[in-house]
C-alpha cells in the first residue's frame, strides 16, 4: 500500500520534560488544545473526559489555561484528567505535535494565522473554501499536515467523525428554541377554560441534519410542522418525525450529489422555487431556513414579498446566514425586523450550547485521531478515503482535495455525456 508519508510522531525521542515519556520509555506524542480566539466562540476542541482517553493511551495533552471556561470546563478538570495546563497560548503551539482546534485558519475569521511550526499536524474546522493563496503556500512551506473536518466523507465508517453533522444537529435544535422564545404565541395546541389556543405553524426549509433536528424539536414542542427539501428522497424522513412534507411543482432531478448534499441549481429553478414557496411561507408563524451548498453562496429562497405577507410577530431563523442567507433581509449575526417579522441571522448557534457542542465535537475529533493512530504513532495513509478527503496539505504538498473532487466530478459528467 503506497503512502505519501507515514508519520512516526510519538514513537521515538528522548523526552525533554515538556511531554514526558510514555510507559514504554519513548517520547509521548503531545496533543495541543489552544484556546479559541474567534469572537463569540465558547466551544473547546477537547473536553476533559475525552482528553483523559488520550492520556490513558500514553498521549500527553497540553491545554491553554482557560480554554474550556466558555463551555464550563475548568483548568482543574483538565489537570484531574491528566492534562498539562499552560498559561500561554503560544506555548501549546510550541509543544504540541498535533493541534486540535474548533476553528482554525479561515474558519477563524479576522484572526492572523496561528503559529503552526514545522511538520505540525492540525485538525479542526479550517474554512478550506475561504483559504487565501498565501495561506496555502505558507502551510506548504511549513510542511504542516492540515486536516479540514468539513470535508469528512459521508460514508458509514466516518459517521462518528462527522463534525458538521454534529454541529448542525445542535444548531437545528437551538433554532427551534430561538423561534419558540421569540414568537408571541405558544407552539403547542392548548385546550383551556379560557378557550382553545391553536398550535403554531412552523415551516422548515431544508431537510438535512439541521432541518430534521429543527423539525423534530418543533414537533416535540407541539407545533404543527411542515418541511420541504428539493431532494424528494428525504420525504420519508420528514414524515417519520411527524411533520408534513411540502411538495412543490418543480423538476428536481440532479438536485443532490452522491453524498446527499444539495447542489447548486440554475437561476430559473430558484425563480420557480420562490414562486412556489410564495404560497407556503405566508401561511407560517415560524420559518426556519437551512438550505446551504458547500463552497457556494446560500440560495435566496424567501423574498421580501413573502415576508410582507406573513403575520406581524412571525419569526424567521436563517441558519444559512453565514453564507449570505436564504432570506432577502437576513444580516449575519444580527436580528432585524422587516414588515413586522423578526429575522434572525445566527452564524454559530452551536456556541450557544457550548457544553453539548464541545462534547460532540471532542468525540468526533477523538474518533478521527483514533483513525490516524497506529500503535501510538500517526499513520497518514492517503489511500484511505477519510484521510484523503480531509487532508489539505501534507509534507510540503498542497493537495486541495475539494478542487480535485470538483475536477473529477466534471470529468465524470463529461464521460457520462459522451457515453450517452
Amino acid at each position: 500500500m503506497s503512502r505519501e508519508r507515514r508519520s512516526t510522531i510519538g514513537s521515538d525521542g528522548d523526552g525533554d520534560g515538556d511531554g514526558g515519556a510514555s510507559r514504554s520509555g519513548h517520547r509521548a506524542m503531545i496533543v495541543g488544545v489552544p484556546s479559541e480566539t474567534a469572537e463569540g466562540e465558547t466551544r473547546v476542541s477537547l473536553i476533559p473526559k475525552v482528553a483523559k482517553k488520550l492520556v490513558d493511551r500514553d498521549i500527553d495533552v497540553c491545554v491553554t489555561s482557560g480554554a474550556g471556561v466558555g463551555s464550563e470546563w475548568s483548568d482543574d478538570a483538565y489537570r484531574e484528567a491528566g492534562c498539562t495546563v499552560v498559561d500561554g497560548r503560544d506555548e501549546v503551539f510550541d509543544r504540541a505535535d498535533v493541534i486540535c482546534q474548533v476553528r482554525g485558519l479561515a474558519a477563524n475569521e479576522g484572526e492572523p494565522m496561528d503559529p503552526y511550526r514545522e511538520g505540525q499536524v492540525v485538525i479542526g474546522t479550517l474554512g478550506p473554501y475561504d483559504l487565501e493563496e498565501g495561506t496555502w503556500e505558507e502551510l506548504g512551506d511549513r510542511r504542516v499536515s492540515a486536516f479540514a473536518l468539513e470535508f469528512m466523507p459521508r460514508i458509514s465508517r466516518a459517521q462518528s467523525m462527522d463534525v458538521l453533522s454534529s454541529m448542525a444537529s445542535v444548531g437545528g435544535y437551538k433554532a427551534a428554541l430561538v423561534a419558540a422564545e421569540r414568537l408571541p404565541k405558544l407552539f403547542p395546541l392548548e385546550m383551556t377554560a379560557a378557550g382553545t389556543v391553536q398550535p403554531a405553524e412552523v415551516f422548515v426549509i431544508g431537510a438535512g441534519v439541521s432541518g430534521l433536528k429543527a423539525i423534530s424539536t418543533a414537533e416535540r414542542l407541539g407545533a404543527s410542522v411542515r418541511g420541504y427539501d428539493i431532494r424528494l428522497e428525504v420525504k420519508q424522513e420528514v414524515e417519520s418525525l411527524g411533520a408534513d412534507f411540502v411538495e412543490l411543482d418543480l423538476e428536481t432531478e440532479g438536485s443532490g450529489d452522491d453524498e446527499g448534499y444539495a447542489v447548486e441549481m440554475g437561476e430559473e429553478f430558484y425563480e420557480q422555487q420562490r414562486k412556489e414557496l410564495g404560497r407556503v411561507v405566508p401561511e407560517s408563524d415560524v420559518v426556519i431556513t437551512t438550505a446551504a451548498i458547500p463552497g457556494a453562496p446560500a440560495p435566496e429562497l424567501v423574498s421580501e414579498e413573502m415576508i410582507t405577507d406573513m403575520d406581524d410577530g412571525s419569526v424567521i431563523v436563517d441558519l444559512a446566514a453565514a453564507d449570505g442567507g436564504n432570506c432577502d433581509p437576513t444580516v449575519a449575526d444580527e436580528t432585524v425586523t422587516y414588515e413586522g417579522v423578526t429575522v434572525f441571522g445566527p452564524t454559530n448557534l452551536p456556541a450557544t450550547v457550548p457544553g453539548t457542542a464541545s462534547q460532540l465535537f471532542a468525540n468526533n475529533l477523538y474518533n478521527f485521531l483514533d483513525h490516524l493512530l497506529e500503535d501510538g504513532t500517526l499513520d497518514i495513509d492517503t489511500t484511505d478515503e477519510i484521510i484523503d478527503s480531509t487532508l489539505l496539505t501534507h509534507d510540503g504538498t498542497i493537495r486541495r482535495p475539494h478542487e480535485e473532487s470538483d475536477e473529477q466530478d466534471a470529468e465524470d459528467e463529461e464521460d457520462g455525456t459522451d457515453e450517452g
Side-chain angles (χ1 to χ4, degrees), residues 215-269:
I215 287 170
S216 65
T217 303
E219 273 286 329
R220 291 192 189 103
L221 292 173
S224 174
V225 185
R226 291 182 290 179
Y228 164 73
D229 198 290
I230 62 174
R231 300 162 299 164
L232 293 180
E233 60 267 26
V234 303
K235 176 181 178 180
Q236 187 174 353
E237 293 182 71
V238 170
E239 293 177 340
S240 71
L241 297 173
D244 294 326
F245 186 80
V246 174
E247 293 192 44
L248 305 182
D249 186 17
L250 295 168
E251 175 54 57
T252 60
E253 185 177 355
S255 58
D257 62 18
D258 292 339
E259 292 192 339
Y261 290 106
V263 299
E264 191 168 10
M265 305 292 281
E267 182 53 38
E268 184 178 340
F269 175 89

CSV table of all heavy atoms in Angstrom, one decimal, residues 215-269:
chain,number,residue,atom,x,y,z
A,215,ILE,N,-37.1,20.3,12.8
A,215,ILE,CA,-38.4,19.7,12.7
A,215,ILE,C,-38.8,18.8,13.9
A,215,ILE,O,-39.9,19.0,14.5
A,215,ILE,CB,-38.5,18.8,11.4
A,215,ILE,CG1,-38.5,19.7,10.2
A,215,ILE,CG2,-39.7,17.9,11.4
A,215,ILE,CD1,-38.4,18.9,8.9
A,216,SER,N,-37.9,18.0,14.3
A,216,SER,CA,-38.2,17.1,15.5
A,216,SER,C,-38.4,17.9,16.8
A,216,SER,O,-39.2,17.6,17.6
A,216,SER,CB,-37.1,16.1,15.7
A,216,SER,OG,-35.9,16.6,16.0
A,217,THR,N,-37.6,19.0,16.9
A,217,THR,CA,-37.7,19.8,18.1
A,217,THR,C,-39.0,20.6,18.2
A,217,THR,O,-39.7,20.6,19.2
A,217,THR,CB,-36.5,20.8,18.2
A,217,THR,OG1,-35.2,20.0,18.2
A,217,THR,CG2,-36.5,21.6,19.5
A,218,ALA,N,-39.4,21.2,17.0
A,218,ALA,CA,-40.6,21.9,16.9
A,218,ALA,C,-41.8,21.0,17.2
A,218,ALA,O,-42.8,21.3,17.8
A,218,ALA,CB,-40.7,22.6,15.6
A,219,GLU,N,-41.7,19.7,16.7
A,219,GLU,CA,-42.7,18.7,16.9
A,219,GLU,C,-42.9,18.4,18.4
A,219,GLU,O,-44.0,18.3,18.9
A,219,GLU,CB,-42.4,17.4,16.1
A,219,GLU,CG,-42.9,17.4,14.7
A,219,GLU,CD,-44.4,17.2,14.6
A,219,GLU,OE1,-45.0,16.6,15.5
A,219,GLU,OE2,-45.0,17.8,13.7
A,220,ARG,N,-41.8,18.2,19.0
A,220,ARG,CA,-41.8,17.9,20.5
A,220,ARG,C,-42.4,19.1,21.3
A,220,ARG,O,-43.0,18.9,22.3
A,220,ARG,CB,-40.4,17.6,21.0
A,220,ARG,CG,-39.8,16.3,20.5
A,220,ARG,CD,-38.5,16.0,21.3
A,220,ARG,NE,-37.8,14.9,20.7
A,220,ARG,CZ,-36.8,14.9,19.9
A,220,ARG,NH1,-36.2,16.1,19.7
A,220,ARG,NH2,-36.2,13.9,19.4
A,221,LEU,N,-42.2,20.3,20.8
A,221,LEU,CA,-42.8,21.5,21.4
A,221,LEU,C,-44.3,21.6,21.1
A,221,LEU,O,-44.9,22.5,21.7
A,221,LEU,CB,-42.0,22.7,21.0
A,221,LEU,CG,-40.6,22.8,21.5
A,221,LEU,CD1,-39.9,24.0,20.9
A,221,LEU,CD2,-40.5,22.9,23.1
A,222,GLY,N,-44.8,20.8,20.2
A,222,GLY,CA,-46.2,20.8,20.0
A,222,GLY,C,-46.7,21.6,18.8
A,222,GLY,O,-47.9,21.7,18.6
A,223,ALA,N,-45.8,22.1,18.0
A,223,ALA,CA,-46.2,22.9,16.9
A,223,ALA,C,-46.7,22.0,15.7
A,223,ALA,O,-46.5,20.8,15.7
A,223,ALA,CB,-45.0,23.7,16.4
A,224,SER,N,-47.4,22.6,14.8
A,224,SER,CA,-47.8,22.0,13.6
A,224,SER,C,-46.7,22.2,12.6
A,224,SER,O,-46.5,23.4,12.2
A,224,SER,CB,-49.2,22.5,13.1
A,224,SER,OG,-49.5,22.0,11.8
A,225,VAL,N,-46.0,21.2,12.2
A,225,VAL,CA,-44.8,21.4,11.4
A,225,VAL,C,-44.9,20.8,10.0
A,225,VAL,O,-45.4,19.8,9.8
A,225,VAL,CB,-43.6,20.7,12.2
A,225,VAL,CG1,-42.3,21.0,11.4
A,225,VAL,CG2,-43.5,21.1,13.6
A,226,ARG,N,-44.3,21.6,9.1
A,226,ARG,CA,-44.2,21.2,7.7
A,226,ARG,C,-42.7,21.3,7.3
A,226,ARG,O,-42.0,22.2,7.8
A,226,ARG,CB,-45.0,22.0,6.7
A,226,ARG,CG,-46.5,21.8,6.9
A,226,ARG,CD,-47.3,22.6,5.9
A,226,ARG,NE,-47.3,24.0,6.2
A,226,ARG,CZ,-47.9,24.9,5.5
A,226,ARG,NH1,-48.6,24.5,4.4
A,226,ARG,NH2,-47.9,26.2,5.8
A,227,GLY,N,-42.2,20.4,6.4
A,227,GLY,CA,-40.9,20.5,6.0
A,227,GLY,C,-40.8,20.4,4.5
A,227,GLY,O,-41.7,19.9,3.8
A,228,TYR,N,-39.7,21.0,3.9
A,228,TYR,CA,-39.5,21.0,2.5
A,228,TYR,C,-38.0,20.8,2.1
A,228,TYR,O,-37.2,21.3,2.8
A,228,TYR,CB,-40.0,22.3,1.8
A,228,TYR,CG,-39.5,22.5,0.4
A,228,TYR,CD1,-40.0,21.7,-0.6
A,228,TYR,CD2,-38.5,23.4,0.2
A,228,TYR,CE1,-39.5,21.9,-1.9
A,228,TYR,CE2,-38.0,23.6,-1.1
A,228,TYR,CZ,-38.5,22.8,-2.2
A,228,TYR,OH,-38.0,22.9,-3.4
A,229,ASP,N,-37.8,20.1,1.1
A,229,ASP,CA,-36.4,20.0,0.5
A,229,ASP,C,-36.5,19.7,-1.0
A,229,ASP,O,-37.5,19.0,-1.4
A,229,ASP,CB,-35.7,18.8,1.2
A,229,ASP,CG,-34.2,18.9,1.1
A,229,ASP,OD1,-33.7,18.7,-0.1
A,229,ASP,OD2,-33.5,19.2,2.0
A,230,ILE,N,-35.6,20.2,-1.7
A,230,ILE,CA,-35.6,19.9,-3.2
A,230,ILE,C,-35.3,18.4,-3.5
A,230,ILE,O,-35.7,17.9,-4.5
A,230,ILE,CB,-34.6,20.8,-4.0
A,230,ILE,CG1,-33.2,20.5,-3.5
A,230,ILE,CG2,-35.0,22.2,-3.8
A,230,ILE,CD1,-32.2,21.3,-4.4
A,231,ARG,N,-34.7,17.7,-2.5
A,231,ARG,CA,-34.5,16.3,-2.7
A,231,ARG,C,-35.7,15.5,-2.2
A,231,ARG,O,-35.9,15.3,-1.0
A,231,ARG,CB,-33.2,15.9,-1.9
A,231,ARG,CG,-31.9,16.6,-2.3
A,231,ARG,CD,-30.9,16.6,-1.3
A,231,ARG,NE,-31.3,17.2,0.0
A,231,ARG,CZ,-30.7,17.0,1.2
A,231,ARG,NH1,-29.7,16.2,1.2
A,231,ARG,NH2,-31.2,17.5,2.3
A,232,LEU,N,-36.5,15.0,-3.1
A,232,LEU,CA,-37.7,14.3,-2.7
A,232,LEU,C,-37.4,13.0,-1.9
A,232,LEU,O,-38.3,12.5,-1.2
A,232,LEU,CB,-38.5,14.0,-4.0
A,232,LEU,CG,-39.1,15.2,-4.7
A,232,LEU,CD1,-39.9,14.8,-5.9
A,232,LEU,CD2,-40.0,16.1,-3.8
A,233,GLU,N,-36.2,12.5,-2.0
A,233,GLU,CA,-35.9,11.3,-1.3
A,233,GLU,C,-35.9,11.4,0.2
A,233,GLU,O,-36.0,10.4,1.0
A,233,GLU,CB,-34.6,10.7,-1.7
A,233,GLU,CG,-33.4,11.6,-1.5
A,233,GLU,CD,-33.0,12.5,-2.7
A,233,GLU,OE1,-33.9,12.7,-3.5
A,233,GLU,OE2,-31.9,12.9,-2.8
A,234,VAL,N,-35.9,12.7,0.7
A,234,VAL,CA,-36.0,12.9,2.2
A,234,VAL,C,-37.4,13.0,2.7
A,234,VAL,O,-37.6,13.2,3.9
A,234,VAL,CB,-35.2,14.1,2.6
A,234,VAL,CG1,-33.7,14.0,2.1
A,234,VAL,CG2,-35.8,15.4,2.1
A,235,LYS,N,-38.4,12.9,1.8
A,235,LYS,CA,-39.8,13.0,2.3
A,235,LYS,C,-40.1,12.0,3.4
A,235,LYS,O,-40.7,12.4,4.4
A,235,LYS,CB,-40.7,12.7,1.1
A,235,LYS,CG,-42.2,12.7,1.4
A,235,LYS,CD,-43.1,12.4,0.2
A,235,LYS,CE,-44.5,12.4,0.6
A,235,LYS,NZ,-45.4,12.1,-0.6
A,236,GLN,N,-39.7,10.8,3.3
A,236,GLN,CA,-40.0,9.8,4.3
A,236,GLN,C,-39.3,10.1,5.6
A,236,GLN,O,-40.0,9.9,6.7
A,236,GLN,CB,-39.4,8.4,3.8
A,236,GLN,CG,-39.9,7.3,4.8
A,236,GLN,CD,-39.4,5.9,4.2
A,236,GLN,OE1,-39.0,5.8,3.1
A,236,GLN,NE2,-39.6,4.9,5.0
A,237,GLU,N,-38.1,10.7,5.6
A,237,GLU,CA,-37.5,11.2,6.9
A,237,GLU,C,-38.3,12.3,7.5
A,237,GLU,O,-38.5,12.2,8.8
A,237,GLU,CB,-36.1,11.6,6.6
A,237,GLU,CG,-35.1,10.5,6.1
A,237,GLU,CD,-33.7,11.1,5.9
A,237,GLU,OE1,-33.1,11.4,7.0
A,237,GLU,OE2,-33.3,11.2,4.8
A,238,VAL,N,-38.8,13.2,6.8
A,238,VAL,CA,-39.6,14.3,7.3
A,238,VAL,C,-40.9,13.8,7.9
A,238,VAL,O,-41.2,14.1,9.1
A,238,VAL,CB,-39.9,15.4,6.2
A,238,VAL,CG1,-40.9,16.4,6.7
A,238,VAL,CG2,-38.6,16.1,5.8
A,239,GLU,N,-41.5,12.9,7.2
A,239,GLU,CA,-42.8,12.4,7.7
A,239,GLU,C,-42.6,11.4,8.9
A,239,GLU,O,-43.5,11.3,9.7
A,239,GLU,CB,-43.5,11.7,6.5
A,239,GLU,CG,-44.0,12.6,5.4
A,239,GLU,CD,-44.6,11.9,4.3
A,239,GLU,OE1,-44.4,10.7,4.1
A,239,GLU,OE2,-45.3,12.6,3.5
A,240,SER,N,-41.5,10.8,9.0
A,240,SER,CA,-41.2,9.9,10.1
A,240,SER,C,-41.1,10.7,11.4
A,240,SER,O,-41.3,10.1,12.5
A,240,SER,CB,-39.9,9.1,9.9
A,240,SER,OG,-38.8,9.9,10.0
A,241,LEU,N,-40.8,12.0,11.3
A,241,LEU,CA,-40.7,12.8,12.5
A,241,LEU,C,-42.1,13.4,12.9
A,241,LEU,O,-42.2,14.2,13.9
A,241,LEU,CB,-39.7,13.9,12.3
A,241,LEU,CG,-38.3,13.5,12.0
A,241,LEU,CD1,-37.4,14.6,11.6
A,241,LEU,CD2,-37.7,12.8,13.3
A,242,GLY,N,-43.1,13.1,12.1
A,242,GLY,CA,-44.5,13.6,12.4
A,242,GLY,C,-44.8,14.9,11.7
A,242,GLY,O,-45.9,15.4,11.9
A,243,ALA,N,-44.0,15.3,10.8
A,243,ALA,CA,-44.3,16.6,10.1
A,243,ALA,C,-44.9,16.2,8.7
A,243,ALA,O,-44.7,15.1,8.2
A,243,ALA,CB,-43.0,17.4,9.9
A,244,ASP,N,-45.5,17.2,8.1
A,244,ASP,CA,-46.0,17.1,6.7
A,244,ASP,C,-44.9,17.5,5.8
A,244,ASP,O,-44.2,18.5,6.0
A,244,ASP,CB,-47.2,17.9,6.5
A,244,ASP,CG,-48.4,17.4,7.3
A,244,ASP,OD1,-48.5,16.2,7.5
A,244,ASP,OD2,-49.2,18.3,7.8
A,245,PHE,N,-44.8,16.8,4.6
A,245,PHE,CA,-43.8,17.2,3.6
A,245,PHE,C,-44.5,18.0,2.6
A,245,PHE,O,-45.5,17.6,2.0
A,245,PHE,CB,-43.1,15.9,3.0
A,245,PHE,CG,-42.0,16.3,2.1
A,245,PHE,CD1,-40.8,16.6,2.5
A,245,PHE,CD2,-42.2,16.3,0.7
A,245,PHE,CE1,-39.7,16.9,1.7
A,245,PHE,CE2,-41.2,16.6,-0.2
A,245,PHE,CZ,-39.9,16.9,0.3
A,246,VAL,N,-43.9,19.1,2.3
A,246,VAL,CA,-44.5,20.0,1.3
A,246,VAL,C,-43.8,19.7,-0.1
A,246,VAL,O,-42.6,19.7,-0.2
A,246,VAL,CB,-44.2,21.5,1.6
A,246,VAL,CG1,-44.6,22.4,0.5
A,246,VAL,CG2,-44.9,21.9,2.9
A,247,GLU,N,-44.6,19.4,-1.0
A,247,GLU,CA,-44.1,19.1,-2.4
A,247,GLU,C,-44.5,20.2,-3.3
A,247,GLU,O,-45.6,20.7,-3.4
A,247,GLU,CB,-44.8,17.8,-2.9
A,247,GLU,CG,-44.3,16.5,-2.2
A,247,GLU,CD,-44.7,15.3,-2.9
A,247,GLU,OE1,-44.5,15.2,-4.1
A,247,GLU,OE2,-45.2,14.3,-2.2
A,248,LEU,N,-43.5,20.8,-4.0
A,248,LEU,CA,-43.6,21.9,-4.9
A,248,LEU,C,-43.6,21.3,-6.3
A,248,LEU,O,-42.9,20.3,-6.6
A,248,LEU,CB,-42.6,22.9,-4.7
A,248,LEU,CG,-42.4,23.5,-3.3
A,248,LEU,CD1,-41.4,24.6,-3.2
A,248,LEU,CD2,-43.8,24.1,-2.8
A,249,ASP,N,-44.2,22.1,-7.2
A,249,ASP,CA,-44.2,21.7,-8.6
A,249,ASP,C,-42.9,22.1,-9.3
A,249,ASP,O,-42.9,23.1,-10.0
A,249,ASP,CB,-45.4,22.3,-9.3
A,249,ASP,CG,-45.6,21.8,-10.7
A,249,ASP,OD1,-45.0,20.8,-11.1
A,249,ASP,OD2,-46.3,22.4,-11.5
A,250,LEU,N,-41.9,21.3,-9.0
A,250,LEU,CA,-40.5,21.6,-9.6
A,250,LEU,C,-39.9,20.4,-10.1
A,250,LEU,O,-40.1,19.2,-9.6
A,250,LEU,CB,-39.6,22.2,-8.5
A,250,LEU,CG,-40.0,23.5,-7.8
A,250,LEU,CD1,-39.2,23.8,-6.6
A,250,LEU,CD2,-39.8,24.7,-8.8
A,251,GLU,N,-39.0,20.5,-11.1
A,251,GLU,CA,-38.2,19.5,-11.6
A,251,GLU,C,-36.9,19.4,-10.8
A,251,GLU,O,-36.1,20.3,-10.8
A,251,GLU,CB,-37.8,19.7,-13.1
A,251,GLU,CG,-36.9,18.7,-13.7
A,251,GLU,CD,-37.4,17.3,-13.6
A,251,GLU,OE1,-38.5,17.0,-14.0
A,251,GLU,OE2,-36.6,16.5,-12.9
A,252,THR,N,-36.8,18.3,-10.0
A,252,THR,CA,-35.7,18.3,-9.0
A,252,THR,C,-34.6,17.3,-9.4
A,252,THR,O,-33.7,17.0,-8.6
A,252,THR,CB,-36.3,17.9,-7.6
A,252,THR,OG1,-36.9,16.6,-7.7
A,252,THR,CG2,-37.2,18.9,-7.2
A,253,GLU,N,-34.6,16.7,-10.6
A,253,GLU,CA,-33.5,15.8,-10.9
A,253,GLU,C,-32.2,16.5,-10.9
A,253,GLU,O,-32.0,17.6,-11.4
A,253,GLU,CB,-33.8,15.2,-12.3
A,253,GLU,CG,-32.8,14.2,-12.8
A,253,GLU,CD,-33.1,13.6,-14.1
A,253,GLU,OE1,-34.1,14.0,-14.7
A,253,GLU,OE2,-32.3,12.8,-14.6
A,254,GLY,N,-31.2,15.8,-10.3
A,254,GLY,CA,-29.8,16.3,-10.2
A,254,GLY,C,-29.7,17.3,-9.1
A,254,GLY,O,-28.7,18.1,-9.0
A,255,SER,N,-30.6,17.4,-8.1
A,255,SER,CA,-30.6,18.4,-7.0
A,255,SER,C,-29.7,18.0,-5.9
A,255,SER,O,-29.4,18.8,-5.0
A,255,SER,CB,-32.0,18.7,-6.5
A,255,SER,OG,-32.6,17.5,-6.0
A,256,GLY,N,-29.2,16.7,-5.9
A,256,GLY,CA,-28.4,16.2,-4.8
A,256,GLY,C,-27.2,15.5,-5.4
A,256,GLY,O,-27.3,14.9,-6.4
A,257,ASP,N,-26.1,15.5,-4.6
A,257,ASP,CA,-24.9,14.7,-5.1
A,257,ASP,C,-24.9,13.3,-4.5
A,257,ASP,O,-25.8,12.9,-3.7
A,257,ASP,CB,-23.6,15.5,-4.8
A,257,ASP,CG,-23.4,15.7,-3.3
A,257,ASP,OD1,-24.0,15.0,-2.5
A,257,ASP,OD2,-22.5,16.6,-2.9
A,258,ASP,N,-23.8,12.6,-4.7
A,258,ASP,CA,-23.7,11.2,-4.3
A,258,ASP,C,-23.6,11.1,-2.8
A,258,ASP,O,-24.0,10.1,-2.2
A,258,ASP,CB,-22.5,10.6,-4.9
A,258,ASP,CG,-22.6,10.4,-6.4
A,258,ASP,OD1,-23.7,10.4,-6.9
A,258,ASP,OD2,-21.5,10.2,-7.1
A,259,GLU,N,-23.2,12.2,-2.1
A,259,GLU,CA,-23.1,12.1,-0.6
A,259,GLU,C,-24.3,12.7,0.1
A,259,GLU,O,-24.3,12.7,1.3
A,259,GLU,CB,-21.8,12.9,-0.2
A,259,GLU,CG,-20.5,12.2,-0.6
A,259,GLU,CD,-19.3,12.8,0.1
A,259,GLU,OE1,-19.4,14.0,0.6
A,259,GLU,OE2,-18.3,12.2,0.2
A,260,GLY,N,-25.3,13.1,-0.7
A,260,GLY,CA,-26.5,13.6,-0.1
A,260,GLY,C,-26.6,15.1,0.1
A,260,GLY,O,-27.6,15.6,0.7
A,261,TYR,N,-25.6,15.8,-0.3
A,261,TYR,CA,-25.6,17.2,-0.2
A,261,TYR,C,-26.4,17.8,-1.4
A,261,TYR,O,-26.4,17.3,-2.5
A,261,TYR,CB,-24.2,17.8,-0.2
A,261,TYR,CG,-23.4,17.6,1.0
A,261,TYR,CD1,-22.3,16.6,0.9
A,261,TYR,CD2,-23.6,18.2,2.2
A,261,TYR,CE1,-21.6,16.4,2.1
A,261,TYR,CE2,-22.8,18.0,3.3
A,261,TYR,CZ,-21.8,17.1,3.2
A,261,TYR,OH,-21.1,16.8,4.3
A,262,ALA,N,-27.1,19.0,-1.1
A,262,ALA,CA,-27.8,19.7,-2.2
A,262,ALA,C,-26.7,20.3,-3.1
A,262,ALA,O,-25.6,20.7,-2.6
A,262,ALA,CB,-28.7,20.7,-1.6
A,263,VAL,N,-27.0,20.4,-4.4
A,263,VAL,CA,-26.1,21.0,-5.3
A,263,VAL,C,-26.7,22.3,-5.8
A,263,VAL,O,-27.9,22.5,-5.8
A,263,VAL,CB,-25.7,20.1,-6.5
A,263,VAL,CG1,-25.1,18.8,-6.0
A,263,VAL,CG2,-27.0,19.7,-7.3
A,264,GLU,N,-25.8,23.2,-6.4
A,264,GLU,CA,-26.3,24.5,-6.9
A,264,GLU,C,-27.1,24.3,-8.1
A,264,GLU,O,-26.7,23.6,-9.1
A,264,GLU,CB,-25.1,25.4,-7.1
A,264,GLU,CG,-25.6,26.8,-7.4
A,264,GLU,CD,-24.4,27.8,-7.3
A,264,GLU,OE1,-23.2,27.3,-7.3
A,264,GLU,OE2,-24.6,29.0,-7.3
A,265,MET,N,-28.3,24.9,-8.2
A,265,MET,CA,-29.2,24.8,-9.4
A,265,MET,C,-29.1,26.1,-10.1
A,265,MET,O,-28.6,27.1,-9.6
A,265,MET,CB,-30.6,24.4,-8.9
A,265,MET,CG,-30.7,23.2,-8.1
A,265,MET,SD,-30.3,21.7,-8.9
A,265,MET,CE,-31.9,21.4,-9.8
A,266,GLY,N,-29.7,26.1,-11.3
A,266,GLY,CA,-29.8,27.3,-12.1
A,266,GLY,C,-30.8,28.4,-11.6
A,266,GLY,O,-31.7,28.1,-10.8
A,267,GLU,N,-30.6,29.6,-12.0
A,267,GLU,CA,-31.5,30.7,-11.5
A,267,GLU,C,-32.9,30.5,-11.9
A,267,GLU,O,-33.8,30.8,-11.2
A,267,GLU,CB,-31.0,32.0,-12.1
A,267,GLU,CG,-31.8,33.2,-11.6
A,267,GLU,CD,-31.9,33.3,-10.1
A,267,GLU,OE1,-30.9,33.0,-9.4
A,267,GLU,OE2,-33.0,33.7,-9.6
A,268,GLU,N,-33.1,29.9,-13.1
A,268,GLU,CA,-34.5,29.6,-13.5
A,268,GLU,C,-35.2,28.7,-12.5
A,268,GLU,O,-36.4,28.9,-12.2
A,268,GLU,CB,-34.5,28.9,-14.9
A,268,GLU,CG,-35.9,28.7,-15.4
A,268,GLU,CD,-35.9,28.1,-16.8
A,268,GLU,OE1,-34.8,28.2,-17.5
A,268,GLU,OE2,-36.9,27.5,-17.2
A,269,PHE,N,-34.5,27.7,-12.0
A,269,PHE,CA,-35.0,26.8,-11.0
A,269,PHE,C,-35.4,27.5,-9.7
A,269,PHE,O,-36.4,27.4,-9.1
A,269,PHE,CB,-34.0,25.7,-10.6
A,269,PHE,CG,-34.4,24.8,-9.5
A,269,PHE,CD1,-35.2,23.6,-9.8
A,269,PHE,CD2,-34.1,25.0,-8.2
A,269,PHE,CE1,-35.6,22.8,-8.8
A,269,PHE,CE2,-34.5,24.2,-7.2
A,269,PHE,CZ,-35.3,23.1,-7.5
